[in-house]
Amino acid sequence: MASSPLGPINHTSTIQLLVQLISTLNSSLPDYDFSNLQASDFIHESNLDLVVNKINSYLLNYALEAKHHGVRKKFWDTLDSVINLKKCRLYSFVPDDESEVFGQGHVWTMNYFFVNKEAKKIIFFTCSATRKLQFNPKMDADPNLIQDGSLDENIFEMEIDDHFSPAKQRSHIDLTVPWSR
């Protein structure tokens, strides 16, 4: 029996999971078509702690936590309250051509799926970093915004797509942290 990162390839549950992951990508990134993906395009992440540590080190790093005490705990508590992390299977997706999907100039990207089959929920967590000041059209239009300190951007916020629910709800959870220079 052929196996894949999602499970035995000829099992109905594996095919359903593949369709759900592809549907989630297509819904989350509507400018791209992921319908040609195969199960082998995903990676099963067997260790929740490794994924948590990677997200913590890249996104919720110690400098951010020192400046905005409790943001890391708030992030993980919010995510856990929505999907129950301990009951999730984790998958990652690394596209063949990241520049095609996520645009040029990204320093790094992360694409994780938190799948709780029991609760019938998937969270697609995607995050990327761009070169400092490269992506903000306000800054390109007026470089004085940076110098006078009047620019107040947000570091991150989280949207949660519930692709299993009959209503296909999109919940927005605000974990916004003000950016200041």
Side-chain angles (χ1 to χ4, degrees):
M1 184 177 302
S3 187
S4 77
L6 304 180
I9 200 66
N10 58 351
H11 282 191
T12 304
S13 61
T14 302
I15 295 167
Q16 287 175 339
L17 177 59
L18 177 61
V19 168
Q20 291 164 344
L21 295 178
I22 291 171
S23 296
T24 301
L25 281 168
N26 282 329
S27 172
S28 300
L29 302 165
D31 293 339
Y32 301 95
D33 181 11
F34 297 95
S35 57
N36 291 328
L37 292 180
Q38 299 176 4
S40 61
D41 292 315
F42 297 90
I43 299 167
H44 176 247
E45 303 288 346
S46 58
N47 190 326
L48 174 62
D49 290 335
L50 291 177
V51 172
V52 168
N53 287 339
K54 183 173 182 183
I55 292 171
N56 283 347
S57 67
Y58 279 76
L59 177 65
L60 304 170
N61 58 46
Y62 292 105
L64 179 65
E65 181 65 28
K67 189 171 183 178
H68 303 284
H69 181 70
V71 71
R72 185 182 285 182
K73 181 175 178 0
K74 182 179 179 184
F75 176 85
W76 290 110
D77 286 351
T78 302
L79 198 61
D80 190 46
S81 72
V82 172
I83 198 146
N84 191 348
L85 293 169
K86 297 224 183 298
K87 292 189 177 185
C88 287
R89 292 191 53 112
L90 304 174
Y91 303 94
S92 60
F93 169 65
V94 179
D96 287 339
D97 184 3
E98 287 194 43
S99 63
E100 170 66 24
V101 177
F102 296 101
Q104 296 179 357
H106 284 85
V107 177
W108 53 261
T109 61
M110 287 186 278
N111 302 291
Y112 289 108
F113 295 89
F114 296 84
V115 180
N116 184 330
K117 284 186 180 185
E118 185 179 304
K120 297 184 178 179
K121 291 184 178 183
I122 293 177
I123 290 179
F124 173 50
F125 175 84
T126 184
C127 183
S128 62
T130 56
R131 295 184 190 344
K132 191 173 184 179
L133 307 179
Q134 177 180 346
F135 70 98
N136 193 325
K138 284 191 221 176
M139 289 180 197
D140 290 341
D142 186 0
N144 294 325
L145 288 174
I146 300 166
Q147 294 170 351
D148 70 12
S150 63
L151 182 65
D152 185 21
E153 291 294 319
N154 295 323
I155 290 180
F156 67 90
E157 57 189 16
M158 181 169 70
E159 287 185 10
I160 296 176
D161 286 337
D162 185 351
H163 288 280
F164 282 121
S165 74
K168 300 270 187 195
Q169 299 172 342
R170 175 172 276 189
S171 304
H172 179 80
I173 298 174
D174 188 7
L175 295 172
T176 306
V177 178
W179 180 68
S180 59
R181 287 193 50 88

